[in-house]
Amino acid sequence: MVPDLPAAPLPACPGRHARGPRACEAGKQPIDRLVLAPPALQGAMLAMVSRDTSHVALSDAQRLSHFPASPIVTLSWYHEVEAGLVHARHGWQRLASRVMLSGSQSSPLVTWSPNSGRGYMACFAPDAAQALFGLDLGAVQDRFVPARDVLGSEWQPMCEALLAAPDDAVSLRVLEQHLAPRWRMLQGRSSGRPSLRQFGRHWVERLALRAHEWRNTHSTRQVERRIKSFSGRSLRQWQALVRTEGMFFAARERYENGQPFDWATLALDEGFSDQAHMSRVAKEICGFSPTEFAQRYVEDESFWIYRLWV
């Protein structure tokens, strides 16, 4: 059985927006990796993300991690790390288990750990996670739940094997061993997987197509209810999310090419009505204005997932 984390006094957690510079201690820095899904899981698992801080001394602020709002379903597991969510009102709350499952998130998240170690996330397309695990997507939306509570006993061996895996390669083999047979049975290899940049747009386009099909037999209100029941939120909310994701990608390209940030032009290019509209939606997705996000993206250790993913 995957054990619950032991109860212990809560450590002092820094504020959600505390800043810690990019870590580089005597040439050492956290090891962040993004590994695309193996061929046997294409169309189901998007990628596996890992972060190893066991060899680096980080300050409290540098152990914060910022995550954007996202449609992705994640299975997370932790080696030595006592991870927890940092809530705006209630502060730090330790995760209840070393293997957690989370649904799509409608607002940005902040996590923190009082110690160092290794952490992993397996990232799934929502409909694939629903089919593989029999998930109720609405029940896990905006939540982090112990995997055993939502996956059932049949997935316990996989969770235990992930906790025993010594490195990224073994972790990926565990996922493939336990998930690939089920995925082949459900869909075979006929379903292609979009690139990281295309994933959110691809998912929302499929959702819009499904809504269009439902409109042939259902009223507009019924379609809206079905979309929200199926995916956890409205189609308009999903479309706002992928527009903002496109803005992140475009901003990164400008930064890497040494071009200035012309936010007004960028807003119009990415389908926003104006710069104010883009700023408002961006803050809903990542928690910061575009200007502050750009600065933190470059400078702050806690924005490692953005640099890795975007």
Side-chain angles (χ1 to χ4, degrees), residues 207-282:
L207 196 61
L209 178 60
R210 181 162 297 194
H212 180 74
E213 293 170 348
W214 284 340
R215 287 193 180 99
N216 293 327
T217 55
H218 297 79
S219 69
T220 300
R221 182 168 294 182
Q222 287 175 321
V223 171
E224 291 173 352
R225 283 201 298 264
R226 291 194 70 173
I227 287 289
K228 193 162 187 179
S229 174
F230 175 75
S231 68
R233 53 179 54 86
S234 71
L235 183 59
R236 181 176 295 181
Q237 289 172 317
W238 285 119
Q239 290 168 334
L241 184 62
V242 299
R243 274 202 307 272
T244 307
E245 182 186 58
M247 182 268 291
F248 289 153
F249 281 117
R252 174 174 174 169
E253 288 178 353
R254 291 181 184 227
Y255 167 72
E256 291 178 342
N257 293 328
Q259 298 174 338
F261 287 103
D262 182 350
W263 294 117
T265 300
L266 192 62
L268 296 177
D269 288 347
E270 296 303 321
F272 295 95
S273 58
D274 53 30
Q275 183 176 346
H277 179 211
M278 181 188 72
S279 297
R280 185 170 63 254
V281 175

Side-chain angles (χ1 to χ4, degrees), residues 8 12 14 17 35 57 69 144 166 169 177 188 230-231 238 293-294 305:
H17 293 170
V35 184
F144 275 73
Q177 174 189 349
F230 175 75
S231 68
W238 285 119
F293 172 84
I305 189 67

